[in-house]
Amino acid sequence: MKLHFDHALVTQLLAHAEAAKEHTPTFDQLYEPTFLKDGKETQSPSYDDIDLTKVPAGLMLVGDNGIYLMSNGKPAFKDPENEGNLVAYAFEADPPDDWWHMKQAAFGGDDGAEFLAAEAIRNALEATKGGRFWLDVSPTRISSPYLAPPRRKRALASKK
């Protein structure tokens, strides 16, 4: 299902993540050995075991009360209009509207967060410039638009 987001807001979220020196890991990233603090070895890592400077910049696609993107940068990007984090809701799954069925169809029944690398977001922002940023999301796959590399012009063979 294609989910659309405010382009300018996604741009702000990405800028925050890329400017941060530390990044919050997703649950799956807790189990990535390269993010552990030096000398740390564990089968059951916690956030205290993670070196937040090793976690890459990016956005988290979150499915819980709706579907939204948020920066993984620390400190969190606070929303100036309320007490929570600044997030970009998918227009199709933005509470209080009828978001539950859209969230289930796109993200699945469980709540969670998926990491999206900064480079992929940057490429998708460029590919959707002048319109809404979008992601194609299903419970098993997330894809984003990208710009194809420019085609090389073929040299015309001259006939003799």
Side-chain angles (χ1 to χ4, degrees):
M1 165 180 302
K2 203 178 265 191
L3 298 175
H4 299 86
F5 301 84
D6 181 276
H7 200 279
L9 185 51
V10 173
T11 301
Q12 283 183 295
L13 295 172
L14 181 60
H16 175 267
E18 291 184 313
K21 292 184 183 353
E22 296 183 335
H23 301 93
T24 302
T26 62
F27 182 76
D28 288 342
Q29 287 175 316
L30 287 177
Y31 292 89
E32 177 59 47
T34 59
F35 301 149
L36 289 172
K37 291 179 180 173
D38 291 339
K40 198 69 149 167
E41 292 182 26
T42 180
Q43 294 293 322
S44 302
S46 71
Y47 286 98
D48 292 335
D49 298 322
I50 301 297
D51 180 343
L52 301 180
T53 64
K54 293 180 179 180
V55 177
L59 300 184
M60 289 189 239
L61 178 67
V62 180
D64 61 9
N65 188 13
I67 300 174
Y68 54 88
L69 291 167
M70 65 184 288
S71 168
N72 74 339
K74 286 188 67 73
F77 195 176
K78 294 298 181 187
D79 187 337
E81 296 183 19
N82 66 42
E83 293 182 23
N85 292 331
L86 185 63
V87 300
Y89 275 98
F91 291 103
E92 297 83 357
D94 184 359
D97 298 332
D98 185 24
W99 58 270
W100 176 248
H101 296 291
M102 297 298 281
K103 189 261 185 192
Q104 291 248 159
F107 206 86
D110 294 333
D111 292 351
E114 297 294 329
F115 175 75
L116 305 175
E119 182 178 1
I121 298 297
R122 228 182 353 273
N123 291 340
L125 283 166
E126 183 64 28
T128 58
K129 191 181 283 187
R132 285 186 177 169
F133 176 88
W134 61 266
L135 297 170
D136 196 2
V137 179
S138 78
T140 59
R141 188 170 164 262
I142 300 169
S143 61
S144 62
Y146 62 93
L147 291 176
R151 290 185 177 179
R152 293 186 336 182
K153 293 183 180 180
R154 290 186 184 182
L156 297 175
S158 60
K159 292 183 180 180
K160 291 188 179 187

